[in-house]
């Protein structure tokens, strides 16, 4: 069985930070033989709250993603896992939709509302109540409408962290366990 995991980072959240680092470890442990990281190059400063800058960032990042994944033949894979963070959730969902990848599993760490415009088919999501990039209630509503289970972490920011280090470790353990369970499910 051929399995691939693709990691769509956030603009400032790369694969060596906890959520994506442990997700990579989990995928390797679950038999994903091939892993691809999409590392974006984009330096337009603060884009939060600026619809035009967000759209521009999306277009630039999506183009970079297409170039990075152009050599893949998706039909060669029995299982495809997209792990994404922040703006990467929009890129992952829209890429799957554009290329009609219906068998993709999505792990959405701190998804933005625009992610759900592309209706990811099968996934899980994680969000914090103190995330300045997302309205938690809106993400809950959109997740439910798309049948995506979402776990909410009280007082956590866009990195799913709060001011309490031990609570962060506890939350990370919960996120890692839920990620592992999801990766091991039969689709």
């Amino acid at each position: 069985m051929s399995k691939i995991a693709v990691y769509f980072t956030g603009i400032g959240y790369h694969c060596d930070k906890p959520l994506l680092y442990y997700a990579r470890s989990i995928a390797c442990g679950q038999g994903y033989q091939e892993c691809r990281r999409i590392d974006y190059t984009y330096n337009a400063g603060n884009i939060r709250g600026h619809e035009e800058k967000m759209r521009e960032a999306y277009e630039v990042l999506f183009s970079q993603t297409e170039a990075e994944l152009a050599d893949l033949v998706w039909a060669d894979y029995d299982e495809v896992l997209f792990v994404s963070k922040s703006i990467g959730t929009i890129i992952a969902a829209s890429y799957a939709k554009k290329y009609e990848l219906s068998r993709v599993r999505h792990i959405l760490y701190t998804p933005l509302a625009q992610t759900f415009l592309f209706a990811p088919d099968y996934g899980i999501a994680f969000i914090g109540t103190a995330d300045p990039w997302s309205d938690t209630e809106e993400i809950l509503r959109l997740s439910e409408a798309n049948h995506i289970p979402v776990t909410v972490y009280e007082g956590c920011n866009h990195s799913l962290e709060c001011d309490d280090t031990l609570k962060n470790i506890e939350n990370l353990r919960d996120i890692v366990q839920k990620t592992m369970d999801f990766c091991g499910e039969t689709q």
Side-chain angles (χ1 to χ4, degrees):
M1 177 177 281
S2 183
K3 299 164 87 170
I4 185 171
V6 182
Y7 298 87
F8 300 81
T9 61
I11 291 176
Y13 200 99
H14 50 77
C15 281
D16 292 330
K17 291 199 175 187
L19 298 171
L20 298 177
Y21 175 84
Y22 287 111
R24 266 194 355 255
S25 178
I26 289 166
C28 289
Q30 297 270 345
Y32 285 85
Q33 303 95 340
E34 188 172 347
C35 292
R36 290 281 183 101
R37 311 167 30 151
I38 309 298
D39 292 310
Y40 311 114
T41 304
Y42 189 75
N43 296 315
N46 186 11
I47 62 173
R48 185 171 32 138
H50 299 284
E51 191 174 325
E52 189 173 317
K53 284 183 177 183
M54 277 290 289
R55 186 175 23 262
E56 178 187 303
Y58 165 78
E59 290 169 6
V60 168
L61 302 181
F62 191 84
S63 176
Q64 289 176 26
T65 298
E66 286 184 306
E68 289 281 329
L69 300 177
D71 65 318
L72 294 177
V73 177
W74 294 105
D76 290 349
Y77 298 98
D78 299 308
E79 289 189 30
V80 177
L81 175 66
F82 281 3
V83 181
S84 55
K85 172 74 175 85
S86 187
I87 195 167
T89 65
I90 304 169
I91 306 299
S94 63
Y95 184 92
K97 185 149 190 107
K98 179 177 179 178
Y99 290 94
E100 299 177 348
L101 305 178
S102 59
R103 298 175 300 126
V104 174
R105 295 169 185 262
H106 287 274
I107 298 173
L108 307 166
Y109 294 127
T110 64
L112 304 182
Q114 298 89 331
T115 303
F116 298 97
L117 296 173
F118 303 100
D121 289 333
Y122 181 64
I124 58 172
F126 302 87
I127 194 79
T129 60
D131 187 335
W133 282 84
S134 295
D135 175 324
T136 306
E137 292 304 316
E138 181 181 23
I139 296 302
L140 287 169
R141 190 174 61 257
L142 293 168
S143 293
E144 184 177 338
N146 284 274
H147 310 288
I148 303 286
V150 61
T151 302
V152 179
Y153 295 92
E154 190 64 39
C156 288
N157 62 22
H158 197 56
S159 294
L160 294 175
E161 296 176 338
C162 63
D163 293 335
D164 182 337
T165 302
L166 292 178
K167 184 67 175 166
N168 290 336
I169 293 169
E170 184 181 312
N171 288 345
L172 184 59
R173 184 183 191 328
D174 185 65
I175 294 164
V176 166
Q177 185 63 60
K178 284 177 169 62
T179 298
M180 191 177 301
D181 293 345
F182 178 75
C183 287
E185 288 179 6
T186 305
Q187 194 172 353

